[in-house]
Amino acid sequence: MTNDAGAMDEALEVVEVVADSELEGVVTWLLRLVGLVALLAGLGLWLFTEMGLLVLPALLMFVGAVLLVAPSVLLLAAELA
């Protein structure tokens, strides 16, 4: 087993524990809230500052979008596994 497969197995185990512990909704919404804040922070940096380098706003928006979608995908993967 490679490191990538081992890391994915560990991530799915953590998601399964969260799904079994009745805190699934709280963790999902907490991650979505963090994702929304990151997305809005990246958008704010891009629109309201004169940053010459757009890497940080783009990175923040990407991470925010991933965090908005990832909890649903991870919980679905844990239920299927």
Side-chain angles (χ1 to χ4, degrees):
M1 186 163 41
T2 65
N3 286 339
D4 292 338
M8 185 60 150
D9 289 340
E10 289 178 14
L12 286 176
E13 286 178 20
V14 169
V15 171
E16 286 176 10
V17 168
V18 169
D20 292 341
S21 71
E22 304 281 331
L23 294 175
E24 173 182 350
V26 173
V27 172
T28 300
W29 282 107
L30 183 65
L31 285 175
R32 287 181 181 162
L33 182 64
V34 170
L36 184 61
V37 168
L39 184 66
L40 291 175
L43 193 61
L45 281 175
W46 180 53
L47 291 176
F48 300 118
T49 63
E50 296 183 17
M51 294 185 71
L53 184 64
L54 294 176
V55 174
L56 181 62
L59 184 64
L60 278 172
M61 288 190 286
F62 176 75
V63 168
V66 168
L67 284 176
L68 285 172
V69 176
S72 305
V73 174
L74 285 175
L75 291 171
L76 179 65
E79 288 177 7
L80 294 176

